[in-house]
Amino acid sequence: MREVTMKKAILFKSASDDYVKAFTDCNYEVIFVEPLQFKYINTEELKEKLQQKYDGLILTSPRAIEAVSKCWDPSKFVSWNARKTYTVGDVSRQKITLMLGLEALGATSGNAENLAKLICNENPKSSKFLFPCGNLRSETLPNTLESAELSVDAVVAYETVENENLQQELVELNESEEEPYCLVFFSPSGCEYVHRRLKTFSNKLSSIPHFAIGNSTAHKIENFGVDIAGVAARPKPDSVVEAVQNYFTALTEGR
């Protein structure tokens, strides 16, 4: 029986069983490379803010959820059970329930822009939201809310920096005898750190098809002069794999 060779997909994110299964089911070997490291800051300020009166809480990244969990006290924050919590993606929704005991809205919105529209539609003007975020946050959500006369209190709860092992991991991938089939990026900052490092040495990785988890990440990749092979319709494993499969199917049929 002929052995099936698995194609190698490089995912620039932390390891995830869901992504391993989705890619493995489609005959891809998954290699995770985490381009980012996170440092949690302003914990006391965030804890103080959580004790104040807001109409809702906005958590658009797993790191923001983790930052809140570090100062979360269920006995002091019971009032949050009656307030609205918003997020993007089912993984984040589950994380909020597990770590904070809250039910989150907006998980199926797909991206920050759609989430902002949802929040504007569901809340009256002058509503005030607490927005724990990172130092590299996009201004799309707060700008959209503020233009609709909703108030956003942003607290920088974590800093994003480059993973100290990124250069070494990229060099090892580049020297691998088996060339990767595709590269998948999951954040604008991750894309920036990876391409900044790739510019420091001659490599074959820059010419391999690039895929993005969403439009913001895709635009960042294009800013580096690299064409986008595909963008996931939703920030979910099956949607990412679908984007990859669609590209290579079209490529094969076009030969």
Side-chain angles (χ1 to χ4, degrees):
M1 184 174 180
R2 186 178 178 181
E3 183 178 350
V4 178
T5 302
M6 298 189 77
K7 298 159 287 189
K8 186 183 296 184
I10 310 301
L11 275 56
F12 289 103
K13 70 180 303 296
S14 56
S16 164
D17 290 340
D18 290 340
Y19 276 93
V20 170
K21 184 179 187 311
F23 273 87
T24 302
D25 287 348
C26 292
N27 197 36
Y28 286 88
E29 174 193 355
V30 179
I31 296 177
F32 294 101
V33 177
E34 175 57 88
L36 310 174
Q37 290 182 184
F38 304 97
K39 178 183 177 183
Y40 296 98
I41 60 174
N42 299 326
T43 303
E44 287 303 315
E45 179 186 357
L46 180 57
K47 186 174 183 179
E48 182 182 334
K49 296 278 188 181
L50 285 165
Q51 297 178 65
Q52 297 178 15
K53 187 173 182 180
Y54 292 91
D55 296 292
L57 178 65
I58 303 173
L59 299 168
T60 57
S61 74
R63 304 291 92 77
I65 299 167
E66 290 166 11
V68 171
S69 73
K70 290 183 179 300
C71 54
W72 188 254
D73 186 339
S75 64
K76 292 183 179 180
F77 303 145
V78 176
S79 60
W80 282 105
N81 293 324
R83 304 179 200 176
K84 293 180 178 179
T85 300
Y86 289 95
T87 193
V88 176
D90 195 56
V91 172
S92 290
R93 181 190 64 78
Q94 294 177 28
K95 199 177 187 79
I96 289 171
T97 300
L98 179 65
M99 302 184 80
L100 307 179
L102 302 176
E103 293 297 324
L105 306 169
T108 60
S109 56
N111 55 50
E113 183 178 359
N114 291 338
L115 180 63
K117 292 176 181 177
L118 175 67
I119 295 172
C120 291
N121 290 335
E122 291 187 350
N123 297 277
K125 293 180 179 179
S126 77
S127 295
K128 186 176 182 180
F129 291 87
L130 178 61
F131 180 38
C133 55
N135 60 314
L136 301 180
R137 76 171 187 269
S138 166
E139 297 300 324
T140 298
L141 188 144
N143 286 348
T144 301
L145 266 58
E146 288 171 357
S147 66
E149 299 182 42
L150 277 69
S151 176
V152 181
D153 189 2
V155 178
V156 178
Y158 66 93
E159 291 180 333
T160 304
V161 296
E162 180 184 322
N163 188 329
E164 59 186 10
N165 299 318
L166 180 59
Q167 174 89 13
Q168 179 183 345
E169 292 188 45
L170 290 173
V171 170
E172 290 175 355
L173 284 174
N174 188 64
E175 294 176 349
S176 172
E177 292 183 4
E178 183 181 352
E179 185 171 312
Y181 219 60
C182 63
L183 308 180
V184 186
F185 294 85
F186 290 80
S187 70
S189 53
C191 171
E192 181 172 350
Y193 290 136
V194 169
H195 274 274
R196 186 185 298 171
R197 287 297 177 183
L198 288 178
K199 286 183 177 180
T200 65
F201 64 98
S202 178
N203 71 87
K204 60 188 177 184
L205 300 176
S206 297
S207 61
I208 293 170
H210 285 46
F211 295 85
I213 188 69
N215 290 327
S216 296
T217 302
H219 293 156
K220 191 69 174 181
I221 293 171
E222 290 173 331
N223 288 341
F224 284 98
V226 180
D227 291 333
I228 291 293
V231 181
R234 299 176 64 190
K236 300 183 68 175
D238 57 347
S239 293
V240 175
V241 174
E242 183 180 13
V244 173
Q245 292 285 76
N246 287 345
Y247 171 80
F248 286 111
T249 298
L251 200 65
T252 302
E253 293 176 349
R255 288 176 179 174

